[in-house]
């Protein structure tokens, strides 16, 4: 039975509200047989949605429709800490008694009273609300392309077809902050658009029901239930964005946007239809002017127009369509009023950079004769030979962990020092701005210190190489302004020579439609409206380097056309002036191959590169196997294995008191321990003795060790740290233990690697290998 008595004091774990103050005009009508809030589900929900977040959680309760009672909304803010689940459970219990539903904004804010989109500080989940159509088919489509979600909640509602409405949740590996919140919201909208979900979740402040609370609607009372929980399922934001980008629309879902509302005229009609005073037309002058001003304000706010262009558009509409025109002062007042309202609702505007690209009226064109007669010198390469030309775009691609960042940093530092690197030559020390979004500050400085660079190169590049720590931003309008200011601040006296963006994926902005890297339209938007506009704003002759990931291809596909491996849209390859692909043809070999494709110069052969002594060097391609390379590598490994087996056997046999000449060893171990015949063993021993891995004990040195005399050319075989058990016994002076007597075998002779002659060892205690040979 329900206890309607009122205690003397409110419970301590409810904050910012009095749980016993009724806000309904009518007495609550509760189904005593209905579901009640479930504290365990509420705790699970709070962990998934807020477990990593700091700050305050905006919570809201109000009376759902269809109950026949009224009431005002009630808002509280809970601290996102360990006590939050218990406080939420208490609040949900109180709300249930009042017939009210419980919602949260799935993000945290800084202070009580805040709940606007611009005030959200952290979000750790991506959610989609499925409330129409075939819910089961939509869930299956998402799970097939995006993987299992962290949590699935049945919200309580039922579609006309009888399916239960659902909220699908994915937890991120870390809370999104700053510009990443916009990426999360765009991601929520993209998923909803592709499966036919609720598009309201494009907004950061869209509330959602709390799992474990009670759903009241249309005389129905039921629990908001968790029906699936995969608590360990978390997604990296960048990888999840890529997965959503690759996900096709669900069957029957159209991606064509609807720009007009059925109750309002289409914006295209507003902008071209005259409006007379006195309400003589379908809409008034005020309605037309407000709609047109609002349209241009949105364009400016989103960075699709400059402020001057927006004001020109407003004035043009006023002059062409309003009969009579509004006075300029009234136009300004109305524009400022609507602008302030728009900024208050949607946050600060995005400022658009002006492009220096020529417009149609100033498009250059030259006759064949003019081009042939122009004898002026060619512009100087930024990086020769024609790898990066003035105003050019270079794309460097490579798989993760192939050494792309290490190679890039070494290359850029050499260019900043004015020193050639792997055959790439700068005309002078270059001013380089390295815009990177992968490595945090402390790990960036650690990596720069770990990369082995000549001291003179580091000294020359100290002031001409400028790098950012890991950035959490998109290269959209606002991000472009920040980058332009940072570059100009870094190099105030002279323009930058190279702007390097690493990687594309973490900074990609596909434009107003929110397309991903696999969308050719979005990629062209990013290249033309973001990268080119930023470059033209900084310096039209500045070279740009973009770092990109590659997708998985077979070795044969990479061999046939390595540039097909670049991730994303094919538009990227048609746009750049230079392309470089770093890949490892053989995973068991440390060497990498750098493929080069040029638009502005003659083809360059691929470079085989490797790290030697911590520094990148170019390997002579003449030393690279061209025919049956895999088979040759296996033979190399087999020969190395046999050499190691021979050395091990010699060591083990000496501990048994046995020592061999070359002929004796070959005959004794023929076809044993994975070795070949006697001739093959002699061949391996000849190689090992030439390299200095195996040496000899002969003549007086052998007699001094008590070894029987031998008439062979070489004597007995000896390896480094070889110990021979003599068969005699020795007594340990400390323990009295009787042990086999062992003596260390030192070489007396070695084979000269140049002549093959057997020569005396100068110092038997120091083991010397042939020059340039590894043991």
């Amino acid at each position: 039975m329900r206890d309607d008595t009122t205690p003397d004091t409110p419970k301590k774990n409810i904050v910012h509200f009095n749980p016993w103050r009724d806000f309904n005009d009518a007495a609550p009508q509760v189904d005593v047989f209905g579901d009640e809030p479930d504290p365990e589900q509420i705790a699970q929900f709070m962990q998934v949605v807020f477990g990593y977040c700091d700050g305050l959680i905006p919570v809201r309760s109000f009376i759902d429709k269809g109950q026949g009672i009224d009431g005002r909304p009630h808002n509280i803010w809970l601290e996102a800490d360990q006590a939050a689940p218990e406080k939420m459970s208490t609040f949900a219990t109180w709300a249930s008694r009042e017939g009210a539903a419980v919602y949260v904004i799935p993000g945290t804010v800084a202070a009580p009273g805040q709940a606007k989109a611009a005030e959200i500080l952290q979000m750790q989940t991506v959610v989609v609300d499925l409330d129409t159509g075939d819910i089961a088919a939509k869930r299956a489509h998402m799970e097939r392309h995006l993987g299992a979600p962290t949590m699935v909640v049945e919200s309580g509602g039922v579609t006309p077809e009888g399916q239960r409405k659902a909220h699908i949740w994915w937890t991120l590996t870390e809370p999104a902050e700053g510009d990443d919140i916009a990426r999360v919201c765009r991601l929520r909208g993209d998923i909803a658009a592709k499966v036919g979900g609720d598009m309201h979740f494009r907004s950061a402040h869209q509330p959602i029901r709390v799992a474990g609370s009670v759903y009241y609607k249309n005389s129905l009372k039921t629990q908001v239930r968790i029906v699936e929980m995969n608590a360990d399922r978390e997604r990296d934001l960048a990888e999840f964005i890529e997965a959503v980008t690759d996900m096709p629309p669900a069957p029957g879902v159209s991606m064509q946007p609807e720009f007009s509302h059925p109750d309002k005229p289409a914006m295209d009609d507003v902008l071209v239809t005259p409006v007379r005073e006195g309400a003589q037309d379908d809409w008034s002058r005020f309605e037309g002017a407000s709609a047109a001003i609002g349209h241009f304000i949105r364009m400016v706010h989103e960075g699709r127009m400059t402020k001057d262009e927006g004001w020109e558009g407003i004035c043009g509409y006023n002059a062409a369509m309003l009969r009579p025109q509004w006075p300029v002062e009234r136009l300004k007042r109305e524009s400022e009023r609507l602008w302030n309202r728009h900024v208050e609702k949607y946050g600060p505007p995005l400022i658009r950079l002006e492009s220096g690209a020529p417009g149609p009226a100033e498009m250059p064109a030259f006759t064949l004769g003019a081009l042939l007669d122009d004898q002026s010198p060619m512009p100087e390469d930024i990086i020769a030979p024609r790898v990066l030309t003035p105003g050019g775009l270079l794309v460097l691609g490579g798989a993760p962990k192939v050494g792309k960042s290490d190679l890039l940093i070494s290359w850029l530092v050499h260019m900043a020092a004015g020193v050639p690197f792997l055959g790439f030559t700068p005309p002078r020390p270059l001013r380089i701005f390295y815009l990177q979004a992968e490595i945090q500050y402390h790990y960036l400085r650690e990596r720069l210190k770990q990369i082995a660079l000549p001291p003179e190169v580091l000294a020359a590049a100290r002031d001409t190489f400028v790098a950012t720590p890991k950035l959490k931003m998109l290269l959209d309008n606002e991000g472009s302004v920040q980058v332009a200011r940072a570059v100009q601040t870094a190099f105030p006296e002279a323009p930058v020579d190279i702007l390097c963006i690493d990687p594309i994926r973490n900074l990609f902005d596909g434009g107003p439609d929110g397309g991903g890297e696999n969308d050719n339209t979005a990629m062209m938007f990013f290249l033309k409206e973001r990268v080119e506009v930023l470059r033209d704003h900084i310096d039209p002759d500045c070279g740009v380097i973009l770092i990109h990931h590659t997708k998985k291809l077979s070795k044969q596909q990479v061999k046939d056309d390595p540039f097909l491996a670049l991730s994303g849209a094919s538009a990227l390859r048609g746009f750049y002036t230079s392309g470089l692909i770093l890949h490892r043809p053989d995973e068991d070999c440390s060497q990498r191959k750098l493929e080069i494709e040029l638009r502005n110069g003659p083809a360059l052969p691929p470079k085989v590169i490797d790290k030697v002594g911590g520094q990148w060097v170019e390997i002579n391609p003449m030393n690279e196997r061209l025919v049956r390379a895999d088979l040759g590598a296996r033979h190399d490994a087999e020969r190395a294995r046999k050499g190691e087996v021979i050395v091990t056997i010699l060591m083990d046999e000496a501990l048994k008191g046995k020592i061999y000449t070359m002929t004796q060893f070959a005959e004794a171990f023929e076809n044993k321990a994975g070795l070949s015949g006697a001739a093959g063993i002699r061949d391996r021993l000849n190689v090992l003795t030439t390299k200095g891995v195996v040496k000899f004990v002969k003549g007086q040195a052998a007699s001094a060790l008590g070894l029987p005399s031998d008439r062979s050319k070489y004597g007995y075989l000896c390896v480094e740290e070889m110990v021979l058990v003599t068969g005699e016994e020795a007594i340990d002076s400390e323990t009295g233990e009787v042990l086999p007597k062992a003596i260390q075998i030192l070489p007396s002779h070695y084979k000269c690697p140049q002549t093959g002659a057997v020569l005396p060892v100068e110092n038997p205690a120091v083991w010397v290998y042939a020059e340039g040979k590894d043991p």
Side-chain angles (χ1 to χ4, degrees):
M1 296 295 292
R2 175 181 169 182
D3 183 4
D4 291 329
T5 60
T6 304
D8 295 334
T9 58
K11 294 184 179 180
K12 293 181 180 180
N13 59 352
I14 298 180
V15 296
H16 298 308
F17 73 103
N18 182 350
W20 309 109
R21 181 180 61 200
D22 285 342
F23 55 81
N24 298 330
D25 296 332
Q29 300 177 4
V30 177
D31 177 8
V32 295
F33 300 103
D35 292 324
E36 297 297 327
D38 184 343
E40 183 177 348
Q41 290 194 56
I42 291 175
Q44 290 178 312
F45 174 85
M46 297 293 284
Q47 177 61 33
V48 169
V49 183
F50 301 106
Y52 299 153
C53 290
D54 297 318
L56 298 177
I57 304 169
V59 187
R60 190 182 189 202
S61 72
F62 54 82
I63 304 298
D64 273 329
K65 296 179 181 179
Q67 299 187 70
I69 56 177
D70 297 320
R72 63 182 179 83
H74 203 99
N75 302 326
I76 66 169
W77 283 260
L78 300 179
E79 186 74 33
D81 55 18
Q82 294 182 348
E86 184 179 359
K87 294 177 182 179
M88 179 64 79
S89 179
T90 303
F91 181 70
T93 300
W94 168 78
S96 173
R97 292 175 179 174
E98 301 299 331
V102 180
Y103 294 77
V104 293
I105 292 174
T108 55
V109 297
Q114 294 182 347
K116 296 178 181 178
E119 295 169 338
I120 304 299
L121 295 181
Q122 290 186 334
M123 302 181 81
Q124 72 175 49
T125 56
V126 175
V127 62
V128 60
D129 180 5
L130 303 179
D131 54 5
T132 59
D134 190 342
I135 307 294
K138 294 177 180 181
R139 275 188 61 184
H141 180 80
M142 287 191 295
E143 292 187 13
R144 183 163 56 252
H145 294 281
L146 304 181
T150 307
M151 178 173 66
V152 177
V153 176
E154 289 184 351
S155 60
V158 180
T159 68
E161 296 80 14
Q163 295 200 35
R164 295 185 180 275
K165 301 178 181 181
H167 302 155
I168 316 299
W169 297 84
W170 290 270
T171 299
L172 301 176
T173 54
E174 60 181 353
E177 300 176 342
D179 293 326
D180 280 347
I181 291 180
R183 300 173 75 189
V184 168
C185 293
R186 186 190 312 173
L187 194 60
R188 301 195 312 188
D190 290 348
I191 299 174
K194 289 188 175 185
V195 299
D198 187 348
M199 294 298 295
H200 288 92
F201 282 88
R202 273 191 181 274
S203 174
H205 66 291
Q206 177 67 23
I208 194 166
R209 292 180 187 270
V210 174
S213 66
V214 178
Y215 170 97
Y216 296 91
K217 212 167 189 180
N218 302 321
S219 301
L220 173 67
K221 177 185 178 184
T222 187
Q223 191 181 84
V224 182
R225 298 186 305 120
I226 298 175
V227 295
E228 182 179 335
M229 176 64 73
N230 304 299
D232 58 343
R233 182 66 173 171
E234 297 181 349
R235 301 300 299 266
D236 175 77
L237 178 57
E239 293 178 355
F240 199 37
I241 289 174
E242 186 172 348
V244 173
T245 301
D246 293 339
M247 181 177 73
V253 174
S254 173
M255 296 297 290
Q256 294 297 323
E258 297 180 0
F259 295 103
S260 59
H261 190 279
D263 299 331
K264 296 180 180 180
M267 182 50 61
D268 289 345
D269 295 335
V270 171
L271 296 177
V272 299
T273 304
V275 188
R276 295 167 292 177
E277 64 182 347
Q280 301 179 53
D281 303 291
D282 291 338
W283 56 88
S284 67
R285 283 196 307 160
F286 179 80
E287 291 173 328
S290 296
I293 292 172
H295 165 73
F296 289 111
I297 282 175
R298 284 192 299 276
M299 297 289 283
V300 173
H301 189 270
E302 294 173 2
R304 299 163 71 180
M305 280 186 172
T306 65
K307 287 187 175 181
D308 290 341
E309 290 171 343
W311 176 245
E312 289 177 7
I314 292 171
C315 292
Y317 173 83
N318 182 46
M321 298 300 152
L322 295 189
R323 314 285 175 76
Q325 301 177 25
W326 272 7
V328 174
E329 291 303 320
R330 181 179 181 185
L331 203 63
K332 285 184 178 179
R333 286 197 306 271
E334 185 64 14
S335 299
E336 290 173 358
R337 182 183 71 83
L338 293 177
W339 174 261
N340 292 333
R341 283 184 56 187
H342 196 81
V343 171
E344 181 180 354
K345 185 175 182 179
Y346 296 104
L350 302 177
I351 306 301
R352 178 181 174 185
L353 294 177
E354 290 291 347
S355 173
E362 52 188 89
M363 182 179 296
F366 305 96
T367 64
L368 174 62
L371 294 171
L372 294 175
D373 294 341
D374 187 352
Q375 301 299 322
S376 60
M378 294 295 293
E380 191 174 38
D381 293 341
I382 298 176
I383 300 177
R386 300 290 178 90
V387 174
L388 185 60
T389 53
L393 175 68
L394 183 152
V395 174
L396 170 61
K401 308 303 180 184
V402 76
K404 185 170 65 269
S405 295
D406 193 290
L407 173 70
L408 174 68
I409 292 174
S410 297
W411 188 11
L412 293 179
V413 173
H414 276 82
M415 297 301 100
V419 177
F421 178 77
L422 299 179
F424 303 131
T425 307
R428 52 175 172 76
L430 302 178
R431 295 174 292 275
I432 297 175
F433 191 91
Y434 180 35
L435 178 71
Q436 67 91 25
E438 280 194 323
I439 309 172
Q440 296 172 324
Y441 169 78
H442 295 292
Y443 305 101
L444 175 63
R445 65 184 178 91
E446 180 184 53
R447 174 169 290 189
L448 287 169
K449 294 175 182 177
Q450 289 175 344
I451 294 177
L453 293 170
E456 61 275 12
V457 171
L458 291 173
R462 289 183 66 89
D463 299 323
T464 51
F465 176 80
V466 177
T468 66
K470 180 179 180 180
L471 299 175
K472 293 184 177 181
M473 59 174 283
L474 296 179
L475 197 63
D476 51 14
N477 289 310
E478 185 177 11
S480 297
V481 172
Q482 294 177 10
V483 173
R485 290 172 180 167
V487 173
Q488 291 164 352
T489 301
F491 300 103
E493 299 179 358
V496 69
D497 294 304
I498 296 177
L499 171 65
C500 181
I501 299 174
D502 180 15
I504 292 177
R505 175 186 296 173
N506 291 8
L507 296 162
F508 187 81
D509 174 42
D513 297 331
E517 298 170 56
N518 294 321
D519 185 335
N520 276 311
T521 302
M523 179 59 76
M524 288 302 294
F525 177 90
F526 177 74
L527 295 172
K528 294 179 69 67
E529 299 298 327
R530 295 296 181 245
V531 176
E532 278 205 334
V533 168
L534 176 60
R535 189 262 315 280
D536 291 342
H537 183 81
I538 296 172
D539 180 21
D541 290 333
C542 166
V544 175
I545 298 177
L546 300 180
I547 310 305
H548 202 27
H549 296 290
T550 55
K551 54 193 174 186
K552 292 183 178 180
L553 295 179
S554 69
K555 292 189 181 297
Q556 186 61 42
Q557 288 175 310
V558 174
K559 182 179 179 181
D560 292 342
D561 190 349
F563 294 92
L564 288 177
L566 285 173
S567 295
S570 59
L572 178 62
R573 187 176 183 185
F575 196 85
Y576 61 64
T577 57
S578 304
L580 277 71
I581 295 291
L582 182 67
H583 66 101
R584 181 177 286 171
D586 185 350
E587 293 299 327
D588 295 328
C589 179
S590 64
Q591 292 182 0
R592 283 83 157 177
K593 181 171 282 190
L594 190 63
E595 310 281 354
I596 307 171
E597 183 178 55
L598 301 183
R599 298 272 191 272
N600 293 343
L604 294 179
K607 293 179 180 290
V608 179
I609 60 176
D610 200 357
K611 292 195 75 174
V612 177
Q615 297 188 28
W616 290 96
V617 296
E618 186 173 0
I619 307 298
N620 187 344
M622 295 299 293
N623 297 332
E624 183 183 11
R625 280 194 178 97
L626 300 179
V627 179
R628 306 182 74 181
D630 292 342
L631 180 61
R634 289 197 294 271
H635 287 171
D636 289 344
E638 175 63 11
R639 284 189 286 269
R641 184 195 67 81
K642 288 180 178 179
E644 293 175 358
V645 169
I646 290 172
V647 171
T648 302
I649 291 175
L650 287 171
M651 295 280 286
D652 292 343
E653 290 294 304
L655 292 174
K656 298 176 184 178
K658 298 178 181 180
I659 191 166
Y660 298 87
T661 66
M662 189 178 296
T663 301
Q664 290 171 335
F665 183 88
E667 293 174 350
F669 293 96
E670 182 179 31
N671 295 324
K672 294 182 180 180
L675 298 177
S676 57
I681 295 176
R682 288 186 64 89
D683 288 342
R684 282 290 89 210
L685 283 170
N686 282 325
V687 172
L688 294 174
T689 53
T690 299
K691 289 184 176 182
V693 176
V694 177
K695 297 184 182 181
F696 313 105
V697 179
K698 63 177 297 186
Q700 294 182 356
S703 299
L705 294 173
L707 298 174
S709 61
D710 183 82
R711 297 179 180 180
S712 70
K713 174 182 176 182
Y714 299 111
Y716 295 98
L717 301 177
C718 170
V719 295
E720 189 176 11
E721 298 182 356
M722 183 173 174
V723 175
L724 176 66
V725 174
T726 64
E728 300 178 5
E729 294 181 344
I731 299 176
D732 190 317
S733 59
E734 295 183 0
T735 64
E737 185 179 4
V738 177
L739 300 171
K741 183 178 180 180
I743 54 176
Q744 185 176 4
I745 304 300
L746 297 177
S748 63
H749 292 75
Y750 72 99
K751 183 196 286 187
C752 177
Q754 282 78 33
T755 65
V758 179
L759 303 176
V761 172
E762 293 183 5
N763 185 353
V766 178
W767 196 280
V768 179
Y769 293 92
E771 184 177 357
K773 305 295 183 182
D774 295 328

